[in-house]
Amino acid sequence: MIVQERLRWALADGWTVARRDLIHWANQPMTVVFGIIFPIVITLAFGYLFGGAVRVPEGADYFAFLMPGMYGMTMLFGLSATMIAVTTDASKGVTDRFRSMPMAPSAVLIGRAIADLLNSVLVLAGLLACGLAVGWRPATLPGALGAVALLLFLRFSLLWAGIYLGLRARDPGAVVAVQTLEFPIGFLSNAFVAPGTMPGWLGTLSEWNPLSSTVAAARDLFGNPGWGGDSWVAQHAIPMAVVWPMVITAVFFVLSVRLYQRLDR
């Protein structure tokens, strides 16, 4: 009963903190609108500017191949957005004020995770609408729902990585370094390039990139063409798209809560 009460307390306080961010977005809607429009612009640029130069597997339409990769990249790029929010609150003293209040230690972090996940749902919905507008189609509705769930699960796990890095840095300037690393991590995957075309060791890193598992699983569930692969991780993309986020969440959730508690001392 004590554990259940603490969990209820943490979730209730977490939702209160999340509502703060939702109210800010309602008062400043352009922040949300820009977050939705930016990945759409990038997708259209990739599709119409580079689509004719890329050899698509199975001779399929380029957007059928591109969209799952863009969905995955968008989930990855949300990491720095979470880090920005955390470091901004820390630099303005908002985090210190929260820590002085009688609330569950994890509530501030849970609230940030809830708010950013809801924002990611809107961003992904906008990108899905963009895909449908340019001719991309999923094969089945159940498969599409499963792919969306895996994409959001990856985003949820990366939320905790962003929260931890934000608490660790406590400086908005450090976000630039993370944003710089997002691109090589994202491109070192199967989102746009076949790992088999890379040097051996680099291709192995690409295949074991958590983003690669989610993108490959999304392509499979959407019924879209992909690179395939003979390695174990490539052959088990769907279970790995579940395992990777579980591991990332378990590690960074614990690290984030412990670091947040130490900041209070």
Side-chain angles (χ1 to χ4, degrees), residues 79-80 83-84 87-88 162 164-182:
L79 186 151
S80 61
M83 188 177 174
I84 289 172
T87 55
T88 299
Y164 174 75
L165 293 173
L167 290 173
R168 175 64 67 183
R170 306 199 74 190
D171 179 7
V175 178
V176 176
V178 174
Q179 289 176 321
T180 302
L181 290 174
E182 281 179 338

Side-chain angles (χ1 to χ4, degrees), residues 24-152:
H24 284 175
W25 293 339
N27 294 332
Q28 299 176 341
M30 288 308 299
T31 302
V32 179
V33 172
F34 179 78
I36 295 173
I37 292 177
F38 181 74
I40 293 176
V41 173
I42 297 299
T43 299
L44 295 177
F46 267 88
Y48 290 115
L49 296 181
F50 307 123
V54 177
R55 191 173 182 181
V56 179
E58 304 172 20
D61 175 74
Y62 182 64
F63 277 109
F65 163 78
L66 173 68
M67 294 312 301
M70 290 304 306
Y71 299 147
M73 290 287 285
T74 301
M75 298 298 98
L76 171 65
F77 288 163
L79 186 151
S80 61
T82 298
M83 188 177 174
I84 289 172
V86 173
T87 55
T88 299
D89 281 350
S91 65
K92 291 182 177 180
V94 175
T95 303
D96 291 334
R97 288 197 295 273
F98 276 138
R99 291 207 311 272
S100 68
M101 296 179 180
M103 62 171 59
S106 59
V108 175
L109 310 183
I110 291 174
R112 167 54 52 196
I114 292 173
D116 282 10
L117 188 61
L118 290 175
N119 182 66
S120 297
V121 170
L122 292 177
V123 173
L124 184 57
L127 200 53
L128 285 166
C130 171
L132 294 172
V134 297
W136 168 82
R137 294 292 184 274
T140 65
L141 180 59
L145 293 176
V148 169
L150 290 179
L151 288 163
L152 291 176

